């Protein structure tokens, strides 16, 4: 697993870790049942505080993406365990709304935004069917 932290970014470090783990799972670089590095190990590798990585892992667990087991560590949840709930779907829509609104204000058409979404799916190697 390769995570690169941009210390000058406006995005908090814990959020960068979350995003990159999610992208790694979406790309198939990490599969259900795989164990993430220990909090201590990943923090040392990234040069960040253990509490930062711990916060990332707990956020991922709250989203249902990983399961944290004492003595076993953080394990990527199965696709069945990650089944999208209506609340998660609403949260994704809520997160997308400001990005889409910004695009609209800057003059992007619905077709351009749809094309960008398909490109993001393609970049993550996920079939864009149904988009």
């Amino acid at each position: 697993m390769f995570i690169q932290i941009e210390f000058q970014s406006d995005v908090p470090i814990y959020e960068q870790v979350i995003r990159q783990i999610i992208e790694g799972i979406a790309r198939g670089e990490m599969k259900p049942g795989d164990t993430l590095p220990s909090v201590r190990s990943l923090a040392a590798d990234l040069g960040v505080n253990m509490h930062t990585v711990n916060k990332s892992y707990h956020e991922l667990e709250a989203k249902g993406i990983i399961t944290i087991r004492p003595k076993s560590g953080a394990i990527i949840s199965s696709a069945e365990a990650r089944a999208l709930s209506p609340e998660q779907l609403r949260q994704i829509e809520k997160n997308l709304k400001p990005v889409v609104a910004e695009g609209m204000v800057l003059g992007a058409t619905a077709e351009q935004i749809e094309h960008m979404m398909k490109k993001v799916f393609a970049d993550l190697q996920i079939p864009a069917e149904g988009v």
Side-chain angles (χ1 to χ4, degrees):
M1 178 174 69
F2 181 72
I3 295 177
Q4 187 171 350
I5 300 300
E6 295 180 24
F7 290 98
Q8 308 308 324
S9 174
D10 291 337
V11 178
I13 293 170
Y14 82 94
E15 186 66 34
Q16 291 181 50
V17 172
I18 291 169
R19 290 177 183 181
Q20 290 181 53
I21 290 173
I22 289 172
E23 285 184 22
I25 295 168
R27 284 191 181 100
E29 296 166 1
M30 294 176 276
K31 308 245 185 272
D34 285 354
T35 303
L36 295 174
S38 71
V39 168
R40 185 180 306 265
S41 172
L42 185 56
D45 289 349
L46 298 175
V48 301
N49 190 295
M50 284 180 22
H51 296 292
T52 301
V53 174
N54 192 45
K55 182 174 182 176
S56 299
Y57 280 15
H58 283 283
E59 293 270 336
L60 288 165
E61 183 178 44
K63 292 175 185 276
I65 295 170
I66 67 170
T67 303
I68 299 174
R69 295 189 185 137
K71 308 278 187 203
S72 299
I75 301 165
I76 297 172
S77 300
S78 68
E80 295 79 28
R82 293 191 316 247
L84 188 63
S85 72
E87 178 55 37
Q88 289 169 314
L89 194 57
R90 283 190 291 278
Q91 186 63 44
I92 291 168
E93 183 179 346
K94 180 181 173 185
N95 292 341
L96 281 171
K97 198 171 197 173
V99 175
V100 172
E102 181 178 348
M104 291 170 64
V105 168
L106 293 172
T109 65
E111 292 78 21
Q112 289 171 318
I113 291 171
E114 183 178 349
H115 176 75
M116 285 184 265
M117 289 299 299
K118 287 181 179 180
K119 184 178 182 315
V120 169
F121 270 73
D123 288 348
L124 292 172
Q125 301 174 344
I126 299 173
E129 296 172 14
V131 174

